[in-house]
Amino acid sequence: METPYQNHIAKSDFEHVYEPAEDSFLLIDALEKELDIIKTKNPMFCLEVGSGSGVVITAFGMAFPEAFCISTDVNFKACEMSQSTAKYNKVLMDTVNMDLASSFVNGMFDVIIFNPPYVVTETSECGGMDITASWAGGNKGREVTDRLLNMIPKKLAQDGIFYILLIEDNIPEEVTEIMTTLGYKSQMVISRKVRNEQQLVMKFYK
C-alpha cells in the first residue's frame, strides 16, 4: 500500500489535528499485510472511525479504488483535513463530523478501521471535540474504544472485518473477550514496540 501524500497540509494545521505517527503507519502496514484477505471480501463500503488527517483511510482507498470510503471524526478540523487528503490523492471519500459511527445504517460496512484515543487518562479528559479527542482514552485508555465495540455488530456487514489498533495498557485480552462475547473471532495482525509502548493491530471477524 502506498502512503498518501500530505504535503498539501501546513505544519501549523497539526496543532488542531493528530499528525500521522508510528501508530498510523503501523495500521497501514497491517492493512497492507491483509490485502489479499480483504480483496476476497470485495469491499464496497469502508469506514475509518476517527480519521484524523485521513492518511489511513486514504491509503485504503488508494489500494481499493472501487470501494466507497467514508471517514468520521468528532473534530471538525480533522474532517476537513481527511477530506483534503483524500482529494489530494484522488480518492473518492465522504467525511462525516459525528461521534464514532452512531448515525450510519446497520450492516453497512465491509471494513471498519479504528485507531482510537488509547492513552490512559482521567475520565474527565474524554469527550473533547478538538485534538484531545485523538488521544485521551480515559480509564484503561478504552472508554471510547468500548463504546465502538458495542456498535460493531450493528455497523459491520456479516462477512466484514474490523481492524483496531491497541496498546498493552488497553489490555487487549479484555477487548478480545468483549468481541468474543459479541460473536467475533480474533487475530493479531501485527505488533511493534515504539519507544516504551507496545502497539498492535487486532482484527475481528465472524
Side-chain angles (χ1 to χ4, degrees):
M1 289 176 68
E2 296 180 50
T3 301
Y5 291 108
Q6 287 204 299
N7 49 341
H8 64 295
I9 300 172
K11 189 70 176 176
S12 60
D13 289 339
F14 289 120
E15 295 174 9
H16 307 286
V17 177
Y18 183 73
E19 184 172 3
E22 291 90 347
D23 52 351
S24 313
F25 301 119
L26 183 64
L27 194 45
I28 291 174
D29 288 346
L31 294 170
E32 182 175 45
K33 189 175 179 181
E34 290 280 294
L35 272 180
D36 288 341
I37 292 170
I38 297 172
K39 284 177 182 176
T40 66
K41 306 292 183 180
N42 189 28
M44 296 304 296
F45 293 98
C46 306
L47 168 69
E48 182 181 13
V49 176
S51 57
S53 70
V55 68
V56 176
I57 190 65
T58 299
F60 186 94
M62 291 164 68
F64 294 93
E66 71 284 357
F68 184 71
C69 295
I70 300 176
S71 71
T72 70
D73 206 293
V74 72
N75 178 353
F76 185 74
K77 290 184 182 295
C79 293
E80 291 183 319
M81 190 180 292
S82 290
Q83 189 67 62
S84 68
T85 298
K87 185 176 180 180
Y88 191 77
N89 289 276
K90 298 179 173 58
V91 168
L92 178 63
M93 185 180 78
D94 269 355
T95 305
V96 186
N97 183 211
M98 74 162 69
D99 178 37
L100 301 176
S102 54
S103 299
F104 289 125
V105 174
N106 291 347
M108 180 174 179
F109 296 105
D110 302 300
V111 177
I112 297 178
I113 305 163
F114 191 34
N115 183 0
Y118 55 67
V119 177
V120 178
T121 67
E122 296 294 327
T123 295
S124 59
E125 296 182 60
C126 291
M129 299 178 69
D130 55 11
I131 194 170
T132 62
S134 68
W135 55 266
N139 184 38
K140 301 179 187 177
R142 279 237 319 273
E143 293 188 37
V144 179
T145 292
D146 287 354
R147 289 176 52 227
L148 183 67
L149 297 183
N150 288 310
M151 294 182 189
I152 292 300
K154 294 180 180 178
K155 306 304 178 182
L156 190 65
Q158 187 65 24
D159 194 34
I161 309 176
F162 171 46
Y163 294 95
I164 184 170
L165 187 140
L166 300 166
I167 62 171
E168 288 299 325
D169 287 347
N170 302 148
I171 317 178
E173 299 82 4
E174 289 186 1
V175 174
T176 298
E177 289 172 10
I178 291 169
M179 294 302 287
T180 298
T181 301
L182 294 173
Y184 290 89
K185 300 175 183 177
S186 64
Q187 182 180 331
M188 187 175 74
V189 178
I190 195 168
S191 177
R192 187 175 297 159
K193 189 164 187 177
V194 180
R195 294 183 288 276
N196 295 322
E197 190 174 79
Q198 189 70 34
Q199 299 177 351
L200 58 131
V201 176
M202 301 286 299
K203 74 172 182 178
F204 297 96
Y205 55 98
K206 291 286 189 177

